[in-house]
Short mmCIF file of all heavy atoms in Angstrom, two decimals:
data_model
loop_
_atom_site.label_atom_id
_atom_site.label_comp_id
_atom_site.label_asym_id
_atom_site.label_seq_id
_atom_site.Cartn_x
_atom_site.Cartn_y
_atom_site.Cartn_z
N TYR W 86 -85.49 150.61 15.77
CA TYR W 86 -86.06 149.96 16.97
C TYR W 86 -85.14 150.06 18.10
O TYR W 86 -83.96 149.83 17.89
CB TYR W 86 -86.52 148.55 16.65
CG TYR W 86 -87.27 148.37 15.40
CD1 TYR W 86 -86.72 147.74 14.29
CD2 TYR W 86 -88.52 148.96 15.24
CE1 TYR W 86 -87.43 147.57 13.10
CE2 TYR W 86 -89.22 148.80 14.04
CZ TYR W 86 -88.64 148.15 12.97
OH TYR W 86 -89.37 148.01 11.75
N LYS W 87 -85.62 150.34 19.29
CA LYS W 87 -84.74 150.31 20.48
C LYS W 87 -85.11 149.07 21.38
O LYS W 87 -86.32 149.00 21.71
CB LYS W 87 -84.84 151.56 21.27
CG LYS W 87 -84.34 152.79 20.44
CD LYS W 87 -84.50 154.06 21.33
CE LYS W 87 -83.86 155.24 20.58
NZ LYS W 87 -84.01 156.53 21.31
N VAL W 88 -84.21 148.30 21.70
CA VAL W 88 -84.44 147.10 22.37
C VAL W 88 -83.39 146.96 23.55
O VAL W 88 -82.14 147.10 23.22
CB VAL W 88 -84.49 145.76 21.63
CG1 VAL W 88 -84.79 144.57 22.49
CG2 VAL W 88 -85.52 145.87 20.50
N THR W 89 -83.82 146.80 24.77
CA THR W 89 -82.90 146.52 25.90
C THR W 89 -83.34 145.20 26.48
O THR W 89 -84.49 144.81 26.46
CB THR W 89 -82.84 147.63 26.94
OG1 THR W 89 -84.16 147.81 27.50
CG2 THR W 89 -82.32 148.98 26.32
N CYS W 90 -82.38 144.56 27.13
CA CYS W 90 -82.68 143.23 27.85
C CYS W 90 -82.30 143.29 29.25
O CYS W 90 -81.34 143.92 29.73
CB CYS W 90 -81.94 142.13 27.16
SG CYS W 90 -82.22 140.46 27.83
N ILE W 91 -83.14 142.82 30.08
CA ILE W 91 -82.91 142.65 31.53
C ILE W 91 -83.10 141.06 31.84
O ILE W 91 -84.07 140.47 31.38
CB ILE W 91 -83.89 143.43 32.46
CG1 ILE W 91 -83.78 144.92 32.11
CG2 ILE W 91 -83.65 143.12 33.92
CD1 ILE W 91 -84.88 145.71 32.84
N VAL W 92 -82.02 140.50 32.51
CA VAL W 92 -82.14 139.14 32.84
C VAL W 92 -82.47 138.96 34.33
O VAL W 92 -81.92 139.50 35.16
CB VAL W 92 -80.59 138.50 32.65
CG1 VAL W 92 -80.66 136.99 32.92
CG2 VAL W 92 -80.12 138.69 31.30
N HIS W 93 -83.59 138.31 34.46
CA HIS W 93 -84.12 138.03 35.83
C HIS W 93 -83.94 136.53 36.19
O HIS W 93 -84.32 135.65 35.52
CB HIS W 93 -85.66 138.24 35.90
CG HIS W 93 -86.09 139.66 35.47
ND1 HIS W 93 -85.88 140.81 36.18
CD2 HIS W 93 -86.63 140.11 34.33
CE1 HIS W 93 -86.44 141.82 35.55
NE2 HIS W 93 -86.82 141.44 34.38
N LEU W 94 -83.18 136.35 37.29
CA LEU W 94 -82.78 134.99 37.73
C LEU W 94 -83.65 134.56 38.79
O LEU W 94 -83.70 135.20 39.92
CB LEU W 94 -81.34 135.00 38.07
CG LEU W 94 -80.73 133.57 38.13
CD1 LEU W 94 -80.70 133.03 36.73
CD2 LEU W 94 -79.22 133.68 38.60
N PHE W 95 -84.38 133.47 38.76
CA PHE W 95 -85.21 132.86 39.76
C PHE W 95 -84.55 131.55 40.12
O PHE W 95 -83.48 131.11 39.58
CB PHE W 95 -86.59 132.57 39.28
CG PHE W 95 -87.46 133.76 38.92
CD1 PHE W 95 -87.38 134.40 37.71
CD2 PHE W 95 -88.41 134.20 39.88
CE1 PHE W 95 -88.02 135.44 37.45
CE2 PHE W 95 -89.26 135.28 39.58
CZ PHE W 95 -89.02 135.93 38.34
N GLN W 96 -85.08 130.91 41.18
CA GLN W 96 -84.45 129.70 41.74
C GLN W 96 -84.25 128.63 40.67
O GLN W 96 -83.24 127.98 40.46
CB GLN W 96 -85.21 129.15 42.87
CG GLN W 96 -84.72 127.87 43.50
CD GLN W 96 -83.39 127.94 44.11
OE1 GLN W 96 -83.09 128.99 44.67
NE2 GLN W 96 -82.65 126.93 44.06
N SER W 97 -85.30 128.43 39.84
CA SER W 97 -85.22 127.43 38.83
C SER W 97 -85.66 127.92 37.45
O SER W 97 -85.98 127.10 36.57
CB SER W 97 -86.13 126.19 39.21
OG SER W 97 -87.40 126.59 39.52
N HIS W 98 -85.60 129.22 37.28
CA HIS W 98 -86.01 129.78 35.91
C HIS W 98 -85.16 131.00 35.61
O HIS W 98 -84.66 131.61 36.61
CB HIS W 98 -87.49 130.20 35.96
CG HIS W 98 -88.48 129.10 36.12
ND1 HIS W 98 -88.86 128.62 37.32
CD2 HIS W 98 -89.17 128.37 35.19
CE1 HIS W 98 -89.70 127.61 37.20
NE2 HIS W 98 -89.85 127.42 35.91
N VAL W 99 -85.01 131.31 34.33
CA VAL W 99 -84.36 132.45 33.91
C VAL W 99 -85.41 133.18 32.99
O VAL W 99 -85.83 132.56 32.08
CB VAL W 99 -83.07 132.31 33.17
CG1 VAL W 99 -82.40 133.63 32.79
CG2 VAL W 99 -82.09 131.47 33.99
N VAL W 100 -85.66 134.44 33.30
CA VAL W 100 -86.58 135.20 32.48
C VAL W 100 -85.81 136.34 31.82
O VAL W 100 -85.23 137.16 32.40
CB VAL W 100 -87.75 135.74 33.29
CG1 VAL W 100 -88.70 136.70 32.46
CG2 VAL W 100 -88.59 134.70 33.90
N PHE W 101 -85.84 136.33 30.47
CA PHE W 101 -85.19 137.39 29.64
C PHE W 101 -86.37 138.37 29.27
O PHE W 101 -87.24 138.03 28.50
CB PHE W 101 -84.50 136.90 28.43
CG PHE W 101 -83.40 135.97 28.69
CD1 PHE W 101 -83.61 134.61 28.93
CD2 PHE W 101 -82.02 136.44 28.85
CE1 PHE W 101 -82.49 133.82 29.15
CE2 PHE W 101 -80.94 135.65 29.06
CZ PHE W 101 -81.26 134.28 29.28
N GLU W 102 -86.26 139.61 29.80
CA GLU W 102 -87.21 140.68 29.51
C GLU W 102 -86.66 141.56 28.40
O GLU W 102 -85.52 142.16 28.64
CB GLU W 102 -87.60 141.42 30.78
CG GLU W 102 -88.66 142.54 30.43
CD GLU W 102 -88.93 143.38 31.76
OE1 GLU W 102 -88.38 143.06 32.71
OE2 GLU W 102 -89.87 144.24 31.58
N PHE W 103 -87.36 141.75 27.36
CA PHE W 103 -86.90 142.58 26.26
C PHE W 103 -87.80 143.84 26.24
O PHE W 103 -89.03 143.70 25.86
CB PHE W 103 -86.92 141.87 24.94
CG PHE W 103 -85.94 140.65 24.86
CD1 PHE W 103 -86.29 139.42 25.23
CD2 PHE W 103 -84.59 140.83 24.42
CE1 PHE W 103 -85.50 138.35 25.15
CE2 PHE W 103 -83.75 139.77 24.39
CZ PHE W 103 -84.16 138.52 24.77
N LYS W 104 -87.29 144.94 26.54
CA LYS W 104 -88.11 146.22 26.52
C LYS W 104 -87.88 146.86 25.14
O LYS W 104 -86.83 147.04 24.73
CB LYS W 104 -87.56 147.11 27.63
CG LYS W 104 -87.95 146.79 29.01
CD LYS W 104 -87.56 147.74 29.95
CE LYS W 104 -87.98 147.43 31.37
NZ LYS W 104 -89.41 147.68 31.59
N CYS W 105 -89.01 147.04 24.49
CA CYS W 105 -88.92 147.52 23.02
C CYS W 105 -89.62 148.85 22.81
O CYS W 105 -90.61 149.07 23.43
CB CYS W 105 -89.72 146.42 22.13
SG CYS W 105 -89.15 144.70 22.40
N THR W 106 -89.07 149.65 21.96
CA THR W 106 -89.63 150.93 21.72
C THR W 106 -89.58 151.13 20.18
O THR W 106 -88.57 150.83 19.48
CB THR W 106 -88.77 152.12 22.32
OG1 THR W 106 -88.78 151.88 23.73
CG2 THR W 106 -89.51 153.41 22.01
N ASN W 107 -90.70 151.57 19.53
CA ASN W 107 -90.78 151.78 18.10
C ASN W 107 -90.60 153.27 17.91
O ASN W 107 -91.13 154.15 18.55
CB ASN W 107 -92.21 151.40 17.65
CG ASN W 107 -92.37 151.78 16.16
OD1 ASN W 107 -91.41 151.86 15.37
ND2 ASN W 107 -93.63 152.03 15.73
N THR W 108 -89.64 153.60 17.01
CA THR W 108 -89.27 154.96 16.74
C THR W 108 -89.72 155.51 15.33
O THR W 108 -89.37 156.56 15.00
CB THR W 108 -87.85 155.24 16.89
OG1 THR W 108 -87.07 154.49 16.02
CG2 THR W 108 -87.32 154.84 18.35
N ILE W 109 -90.42 154.62 14.57
CA ILE W 109 -90.75 154.97 13.23
C ILE W 109 -92.23 155.47 13.26
O ILE W 109 -93.20 154.79 13.65
CB ILE W 109 -90.65 153.73 12.30
CG1 ILE W 109 -89.27 153.24 12.28
CG2 ILE W 109 -91.10 154.15 10.89
CD1 ILE W 109 -89.00 152.04 11.43
N GLU W 110 -92.38 156.74 12.76
CA GLU W 110 -93.71 157.45 12.77
C GLU W 110 -94.75 156.72 11.88
O GLU W 110 -95.92 156.78 12.12
CB GLU W 110 -93.56 158.91 12.34
CG GLU W 110 -92.74 159.71 13.32
CD GLU W 110 -92.59 161.14 12.96
OE1 GLU W 110 -93.39 161.54 12.04
OE2 GLU W 110 -91.83 161.88 13.55
N GLU W 111 -94.26 156.11 10.71
CA GLU W 111 -95.22 155.64 9.76
C GLU W 111 -95.70 154.23 9.96
O GLU W 111 -96.38 153.59 9.14
CB GLU W 111 -94.51 155.68 8.35
CG GLU W 111 -94.16 157.01 7.90
CD GLU W 111 -92.71 157.41 8.47
OE1 GLU W 111 -92.02 156.53 9.06
OE2 GLU W 111 -92.35 158.66 8.36
N GLN W 112 -95.33 153.59 11.17
CA GLN W 112 -95.81 152.23 11.40
C GLN W 112 -96.13 151.90 12.79
O GLN W 112 -95.65 152.57 13.67
CB GLN W 112 -94.83 151.23 10.85
CG GLN W 112 -93.44 151.24 11.64
CD GLN W 112 -92.47 150.15 11.08
OE1 GLN W 112 -92.68 149.69 10.06
NE2 GLN W 112 -91.36 149.95 11.87
N VAL W 113 -96.88 150.87 12.95
CA VAL W 113 -97.22 150.28 14.25
C VAL W 113 -96.84 148.84 14.17
O VAL W 113 -96.99 148.17 13.15
CB VAL W 113 -98.76 150.41 14.59
CG1 VAL W 113 -99.01 149.49 15.81
CG2 VAL W 113 -99.11 151.75 14.81
N LEU W 114 -96.17 148.35 15.35
CA LEU W 114 -95.73 147.01 15.33
C LEU W 114 -96.75 146.17 16.18
O LEU W 114 -97.17 146.66 17.25
CB LEU W 114 -94.31 146.90 16.00
CG LEU W 114 -93.23 147.64 15.31
CD1 LEU W 114 -91.87 147.46 15.96
CD2 LEU W 114 -93.24 147.43 13.77
N GLU W 115 -96.97 145.00 15.76
CA GLU W 115 -97.93 144.08 16.51
C GLU W 115 -97.31 142.68 16.69
O GLU W 115 -96.46 142.36 15.83
CB GLU W 115 -99.27 144.00 15.88
CG GLU W 115 -100.00 145.34 15.82
CD GLU W 115 -101.47 145.21 15.22
OE1 GLU W 115 -101.71 144.12 14.68
OE2 GLU W 115 -102.19 146.20 15.31
N ASP W 116 -97.80 141.94 17.66
CA ASP W 116 -97.36 140.54 17.87
C ASP W 116 -95.80 140.46 17.91
O ASP W 116 -95.21 139.81 17.12
CB ASP W 116 -97.94 139.65 16.73
CG ASP W 116 -97.72 138.12 17.07
OD1 ASP W 116 -97.61 137.87 18.27
OD2 ASP W 116 -97.66 137.32 16.16
N ILE W 117 -95.24 141.27 18.82
CA ILE W 117 -93.81 141.33 18.93
C ILE W 117 -93.27 140.29 19.85
O ILE W 117 -93.81 139.98 20.93
CB ILE W 117 -93.31 142.71 19.47
CG1 ILE W 117 -93.91 143.82 18.63
CG2 ILE W 117 -91.88 142.90 19.56
CD1 ILE W 117 -95.09 144.57 19.26
N SER W 118 -92.17 139.60 19.48
CA SER W 118 -91.54 138.55 20.24
C SER W 118 -90.03 138.51 19.95
O SER W 118 -89.62 139.06 18.93
CB SER W 118 -92.11 137.15 20.05
OG SER W 118 -91.96 136.77 18.70
N VAL W 119 -89.33 137.79 20.73
CA VAL W 119 -87.87 137.56 20.45
C VAL W 119 -87.55 136.21 20.44
O VAL W 119 -87.97 135.45 21.41
CB VAL W 119 -86.90 138.35 21.55
CG1 VAL W 119 -85.52 138.01 21.27
CG2 VAL W 119 -87.15 139.90 21.46
N SER W 120 -86.94 135.64 19.46
CA SER W 120 -86.49 134.29 19.37
C SER W 120 -85.03 134.26 19.75
O SER W 120 -84.22 134.96 19.34
CB SER W 120 -86.73 133.68 17.93
OG SER W 120 -85.95 134.36 16.92
N MET W 121 -84.73 133.24 20.67
CA MET W 121 -83.37 133.10 21.17
C MET W 121 -82.79 131.66 20.83
O MET W 121 -83.52 130.72 20.95
CB MET W 121 -83.44 133.33 22.71
CG MET W 121 -83.99 134.67 23.16
SD MET W 121 -83.97 134.81 24.98
CE MET W 121 -82.24 134.82 25.33
N GLU W 122 -81.61 131.62 20.50
CA GLU W 122 -80.86 130.43 20.22
C GLU W 122 -79.57 130.47 21.00
O GLU W 122 -78.79 131.38 20.81
CB GLU W 122 -80.60 130.28 18.71
CG GLU W 122 -79.90 128.96 18.38
CD GLU W 122 -79.68 128.78 16.93
OE1 GLU W 122 -80.20 129.61 16.08
OE2 GLU W 122 -79.02 127.86 16.52
N MET W 123 -79.34 129.43 21.79
CA MET W 123 -78.15 129.31 22.57
C MET W 123 -76.88 129.00 21.66
O MET W 123 -77.00 128.00 20.89
CB MET W 123 -78.21 128.24 23.70
CG MET W 123 -77.03 128.22 24.57
SD MET W 123 -77.06 126.84 25.74
CE MET W 123 -78.29 127.32 26.83
N ILE W 124 -75.98 129.85 21.64
CA ILE W 124 -74.79 129.58 20.75
C ILE W 124 -73.51 129.35 21.54
O ILE W 124 -72.53 128.81 21.03
CB ILE W 124 -74.54 130.96 19.89
CG1 ILE W 124 -74.39 132.13 20.77
CG2 ILE W 124 -75.57 131.10 18.88
CD1 ILE W 124 -74.04 133.37 19.96
N GLU W 125 -73.58 129.52 22.88
CA GLU W 125 -72.50 129.03 23.81
C GLU W 125 -73.11 128.68 25.15
O GLU W 125 -74.05 129.32 25.55
CB GLU W 125 -71.46 130.26 24.05
CG GLU W 125 -70.66 130.61 22.80
CD GLU W 125 -69.64 131.71 23.15
OE1 GLU W 125 -69.43 131.95 24.43
OE2 GLU W 125 -69.15 132.43 22.27
N GLY W 126 -72.63 127.54 25.65
CA GLY W 126 -73.21 127.03 26.92
C GLY W 126 -73.38 125.58 26.87
O GLY W 126 -73.17 124.86 25.87
#
């Protein structure tokens, strides 16, 4: 799987965009999401 992240900063929001690409011929991915946990901050 190929995943890149772009951080979009708004006045009072931060949007993390995860661009995802499937490279496996034998499968399809559905209901894709990313769970995030703050480990520093």
